[in-house]
Amino acid sequence: MTDLNPQAKQMADESMVRGLDAQIRAIWPQESQLFGRYSLPAEPSILDACCGTGECSSRIAELFPKARVLGVDIVDAHLALARARCASLASRVTFEHRSVFELQLPDAGFDLTVCRHVLHSIPHANRVLAELARVTRPRGYLHLIPEDYGMLHFQRGPLDPRDFWHVSPASFGEKTGTDLFIGRNVYGILAAMGLDEITVDYVVVDTVRVPRETFAAILTAWRDGYAEPIGEHTPISHESALAYFNQMIANIRNPRGYAVWMVPVVSARKE
Ligand SMILES: C[S@@+](CC[C@H](N)C(=O)[O-])C[C@H]1O[C@@H](n2cnc3c(N)ncnc32)[C@H](O)[C@@H]1O
């Protein structure tokens, strides 16, 4: 049987908590604008599926001050951080231990279902998308960040990061039964599911729009969490992965350097 959580160790690691903090600081200023397009009831019910440490759940609750938000995840330590973060919002923001493969929640309960930074890391993305659509009400929305590791670009140094991004995500995905290029594939999956009004937008995390230290913190967290499994699962050794990450971090920090991570934000509406 395929491992349903092949990145379990990395997801629960301290570097993931750091990474999620840096990612939301980089992404939210652009992503938050996109929520304005959803036509939601005055008091919407919102699911943050695979909420992690609640970085996004808390921001969604602030963006929709009358919303009820449920965050679900399978890492209890993340749920504890999320509850602490949202303590002042506890009357309308709650967190529960549930797996996105089988939420055990009623059909059609949510006006908006959010799932960020997950689909690339788990197998059977189609099954998960079907489960997310099931719990979304008719005419409700899915809001997804399906990562795509072909959408990162760094400048050449002694090493060429194109080699790293060409080799490591493909082998990592093959070994773990996951699609690390799902960003470009989600449109077709949603269309095949019969969902409506599919949109694809990009948050541009680059050295012009995002503070260099924030962008560097994302790559640093990835290095700390993933250099070792990259060494295990791909032809790139642990040492070599560290060298590539260190060069990419230096590229971001170089005041004359340019680097970019294109983050797909995909939404769709249930019929
Ligand atoms: C990269 S984090 C993203 C966290 C959050 N969505 C955000 O944007 O900050 C991915 C999260 O998915 C969770 N996760 C992985 N498999 C899951 C599953 N089967 N059910 C629920 N959560 C899961 C992990 O525990 C982790 O917290």
Side-chain angles (χ1 to χ4, degrees), residues 138-212:
R139 307 313 290 151
Y141 299 87
L142 296 187
H143 174 101
L144 311 166
I145 292 189
E147 292 185 9
D148 189 312
Y149 288 88
M151 297 188 187
L152 288 122
H153 305 288
F154 294 83
Q155 290 179 286
R156 258 190 102 137
L159 299 167
D160 188 342
R162 284 179 301 180
D163 299 335
F164 176 82
W165 292 111
H166 186 63
V167 170
S168 61
S171 325
F172 199 97
E174 232 167 79
K175 278 283 172 59
T176 55
T178 57
D179 178 4
L180 278 84
F181 304 95
I182 189 125
R184 69 195 68 183
N185 294 324
V186 156
Y187 179 93
I189 300 173
L190 297 176
M193 287 166 64
L195 296 182
D196 253 1
E197 298 178 28
I198 304 172
T199 63
V200 180
D201 292 271
Y202 287 90
V203 166
V204 179
V205 175
D206 72 356
T207 47
V208 173
R209 290 164 179 79
V210 170
R212 287 180 189 275

Side-chain angles (χ1 to χ4, degrees), residues 4-5 11-12 16 20-21 23-24 48-56 72-75 78 98-101 103 115-118 120-122 128 145 147 226:
L4 290 183
N5 192 7
M11 288 297 172
M16 178 59 67
L20 296 180
D21 165 67
Q23 283 180 188
I24 196 92
D48 187 6
C50 311
C51 62
T53 54
E55 293 282 5
C56 188
V72 302
D73 204 281
I74 49 170
V75 174
H78 289 349
R98 291 178 187 275
S99 171
V100 75
F101 286 100
L103 287 163
C115 186
R116 307 167 76 256
H117 304 294
V118 179
H120 68 283
S121 66
I122 51 177
V128 168
I145 292 189
E147 292 185 9
Y226 287 94

Side-chain angles (χ1 to χ4, degrees), residues 249-260:
I249 293 163
N251 178 191
I252 294 169
R253 287 201 167 122
N254 175 354
R256 296 196 174 174
Y258 182 79
V260 58

Side-chain angles (χ1 to χ4, degrees), residues 2-267:
T2 327
D3 180 357
L4 290 183
N5 192 7
Q7 293 190 23
K9 182 162 176 258
Q10 293 75 43
M11 288 297 172
D13 194 60
E14 149 302 308
S15 61
M16 178 59 67
V17 176
R18 266 191 283 135
L20 296 180
D21 165 67
Q23 283 180 188
I24 196 92
R25 285 188 283 116
I27 292 170
W28 187 250
Q30 294 170 58
E31 184 192 2
S32 57
Q33 314 289 318
L34 299 173
F35 284 89
R37 63 196 170 171
Y38 304 135
S39 162
L40 296 174
E43 297 183 7
S45 183
I46 301 176
L47 174 67
D48 187 6
C50 311
C51 62
T53 54
E55 293 282 5
C56 188
S57 325
S58 63
R59 284 164 174 86
I60 292 173
E62 281 159 13
L63 198 59
F64 298 104
K66 295 198 165 163
R68 297 194 71 81
V69 179
L70 171 64
V72 302
D73 204 281
I74 49 170
V75 174
D76 288 322
H78 289 349
L79 290 168
L81 284 174
R83 286 188 192 104
R85 181 190 310 287
C86 294
S88 64
L89 299 164
S91 60
R92 59 190 186 87
V93 183
T94 49
F95 295 95
E96 294 176 2
H97 184 119
R98 291 178 187 275
S99 171
V100 75
F101 286 100
E102 203 179 344
L103 287 163
Q104 299 189 330
L105 290 167
D107 291 354
F110 297 95
D111 301 295
L112 172 63
T113 299
V114 174
C115 186
R116 307 167 76 256
H117 304 294
V118 179
L119 293 169
H120 68 283
S121 66
I122 51 177
H124 314 301
N126 305 35
R127 191 172 139 193
V128 168
L129 286 166
E131 180 67 348
L132 296 176
R134 181 187 69 74
V135 298
T136 306
R137 75 162 165 83
R139 307 313 290 151
Y141 299 87
L142 296 187
H143 174 101
L144 311 166
I145 292 189
E147 292 185 9
D148 189 312
Y149 288 88
M151 297 188 187
L152 288 122
H153 305 288
F154 294 83
Q155 290 179 286
R156 258 190 102 137
L159 299 167
D160 188 342
R162 284 179 301 180
D163 299 335
F164 176 82
W165 292 111
H166 186 63
V167 170
S168 61
S171 325
F172 199 97
E174 232 167 79
K175 278 283 172 59
T176 55
T178 57
D179 178 4
L180 278 84
F181 304 95
I182 189 125
R184 69 195 68 183
N185 294 324
V186 156
Y187 179 93
I189 300 173
L190 297 176
M193 287 166 64
L195 296 182
D196 253 1
E197 298 178 28
I198 304 172
T199 63
V200 180
D201 292 271
Y202 287 90
V203 166
V204 179
V205 175
D206 72 356
T207 47
V208 173
R209 290 164 179 79
V210 170
R212 287 180 189 275
E213 276 313 308
T214 305
F215 193 0
I218 296 173
L219 269 288
T220 304
W222 290 356
R223 176 196 67 193
D224 298 346
Y226 287 94
E228 197 177 311
I230 287 170
E232 260 167 56
H233 293 315
T234 83
I236 295 177
S237 69
H238 180 191
E239 293 67 32
S240 177
L242 286 173
Y244 275 113
F245 275 119
N246 286 335
Q247 184 182 295
M248 292 187 273
I249 293 163
N251 178 191
I252 294 169
R253 287 201 167 122
N254 175 354
R256 296 196 174 174
Y258 182 79
V260 58
W261 175 26
M262 306 285 294
V263 184
V265 182
V266 181
S267 76

